[in-house]
Amino acid sequence: MKGAKKSAAVTETFNTKPKADPDVDPVTGLVADGEATETEIPVKWTAPASGADSYEVTANGKTESVTGTSHKVSGLEAGKPYPISVVAVKGAKKSAAVTETFNTKAKPGDITPPSDPTDVTNTVAGSTVNLTWSPSKDEDGGSGLAGYYVYQNGQRLGGLVTETKKAVSGLAAGTYDFEVSAVDKANNESKKVKTTATVPPPVGGSTYGLAGTSTIKGANGKVALNGAVTTTVEGGKVSADLTLNPTTGNFSIFGFLPATASIAFAPEGKTTGTLSGSTLTTETKTIVKVPSVKVFGIQIGGGATCQTSTAATIPLKSTDFKLGSGGTLKGNYTLPALKGCGPLTPIISAFVAGSGNTVDLKATAK
């Protein structure tokens, strides 16, 4: 439009992207297939388990159909990042696109790589290794930092990582060497900085014996704890069946009256938690039963109905836990008020219920 005047219309037809078909799996392992040049980027990928008749490779606004699992994208500019997408085609169906970003080689000029990544560390959660590192910098007047390459056991993973973190998932049990390097827009790469991670095997049905004590703050005494726990660990999540044996504790009411109480435990549901490295955290909900309370050997309360009014929540944590041997667990918890203990229920409950109680356990693999 120019003032009140209009030009003739120019019309083009465009297609929206078709939906991915769930019957066709996407490709995996889209990586560089050798070194890029100033105008070409060679890539390769792994065929999907569902099979494919051909592949559509999209880059720089152009889509090409190929029959093999590799392709050389050409007609590119030097020293630039290019997202490259691959879609598996099977008949009339197409998979979801898998996209990675790759850089063409820069023209001669910037030949100085960026600074090496620092503080390259990892944490393991189940079959996933989470990598983190501190940022690198390109030299003043350089082409600028493009991102990072991550290597697993010497092989580069995918394309350019633009953040200072990467999660590598679906790993089998074993030890892996990961390396991180920085790359600038001229495709100069820094030195690789290594970190080693160990992925533990999934564990099912491991049984540990339990032995230790619990301090009941309000009653001024301790009870011995013994039992066993059968634990399943999968993907860092813990599920366990806990059994604690009935026990007896000696207490001091008012600081001078000797009292004895028999105690039993009725866990509600499974013990749950997480395991990351050697750090284990769990939570158990259990009704605490008090069949007998005696002072000077005379029973003053208890019985079949004497128990906490609600389940006690007992959180435990270990920082030295090993799946093959066990570890120490500690925690603090609150005992709810008692009910059903006879005429002296309010008095008995007042000396038992409350916060500040502790648990100290040793778990030993059987």
Side-chain angles (χ1 to χ4, degrees):
M1 298 182 66
K2 187 175 182 181
K5 299 178 180 180
K6 298 182 181 181
S7 72
V10 175
T11 304
E12 295 288 350
T13 300
F14 302 89
N15 284 344
T16 54
K17 183 179 178 180
K19 289 185 177 180
D21 196 295
D23 293 335
V24 183
D25 296 329
V27 304
T28 58
L30 175 58
V31 297
D33 188 15
E35 294 296 325
T37 69
E38 294 177 7
T39 59
E40 294 181 329
I41 298 176
V43 294
K44 63 180 180 180
W45 56 89
T46 301
S50 58
D53 301 325
S54 62
Y55 303 92
E56 290 183 352
V57 181
T58 301
N60 199 29
K62 182 173 66 174
T63 299
E64 298 177 86
S65 179
V66 299
T67 55
T69 56
S70 63
H71 183 63
K72 188 175 291 185
V73 179
S74 58
L76 307 177
E77 295 182 34
K80 288 190 175 183
Y82 287 92
I84 297 177
S85 299
V86 178
V87 172
V89 180
K90 189 175 183 182
K93 299 178 179 180
K94 296 183 180 182
S95 73
V98 173
T99 304
E100 296 287 354
T101 300
F102 304 88
N103 277 7
T104 51
K105 185 177 180 180
K107 291 181 178 179
D110 181 3
I111 59 172
T112 303
S115 63
D116 302 338
T118 58
D119 304 321
V120 179
T121 59
N122 73 82
T123 57
V124 180
S127 61
T128 298
V129 174
N130 295 293
L131 302 167
T132 59
W133 56 90
S134 296
S136 297
K137 293 182 179 180
D138 199 29
E139 80 279 11
D140 292 340
S143 57
L145 185 71
Y148 305 89
Y149 289 136
V150 176
Y151 297 80
Q152 176 184 318
N153 293 341
Q155 182 173 355
R156 197 165 82 191
L157 299 178
L160 204 61
V161 178
T162 56
E163 297 181 287
T164 55
K165 62 182 179 179
K166 183 176 177 65
V168 184
S169 58
L171 297 171
T175 300
Y176 298 85
D177 287 333
F178 292 95
E179 295 172 300
V180 180
S181 65
V183 62
D184 62 19
K185 294 177 182 177
N187 217 27
N188 297 305
E189 187 175 1
S190 74
K191 292 180 180 178
K192 301 169 185 174
V193 181
K194 186 173 78 170
T195 181
T196 300
T198 299
V199 176
V203 177
S206 296
T207 300
Y208 303 88
L210 300 175
T213 60
S214 175
T215 299
I216 311 298
K217 181 179 178 181
N220 299 309
K222 291 184 177 181
V223 295
L225 295 178
N226 291 279
V229 60
T230 299
T231 302
T232 298
V233 182
E234 187 173 355
K237 295 184 178 180
V238 176
S239 178
D241 293 309
L242 174 68
T243 301
L244 289 175
N245 301 332
T247 186
T248 300
N250 295 315
F251 305 100
S252 177
I253 299 177
F254 297 119
F256 64 91
L257 287 178
T260 302
S262 57
I263 299 172
F265 305 91
E268 291 191 341
K270 289 183 176 291
T271 294
T272 58
T274 60
L275 177 63
S276 178
S278 61
T279 300
L280 172 68
T281 58
T282 66
E283 183 178 279
T284 301
K285 294 183 182 295
T286 184
I287 295 292
V288 180
K289 297 178 176 289
V290 187
S292 173
V293 179
K294 296 180 179 180
V295 175
F296 290 115
I298 301 172
Q299 184 156 331
I300 63 169
T305 61
C306 184
Q307 64 182 46
T308 52
S309 55
T310 59
T313 299
I314 303 177
L316 296 175
K317 182 175 183 178
S318 173
T319 57
D320 63 355
F321 196 83
K322 296 181 179 179
L323 291 171
S325 57
T328 57
L329 298 104
K330 299 178 182 292
N332 296 278
Y333 68 99
T334 297
L335 270 174
L338 297 180
K339 66 177 183 178
C341 303
L344 298 180
T345 293
I347 296 176
I348 296 171
S349 180
F351 286 104
V352 174
S355 60
N357 309 300
T358 64
V359 172
D360 193 337
L361 284 174
K362 174 70 176 180
T364 304
K366 291 187 174 183

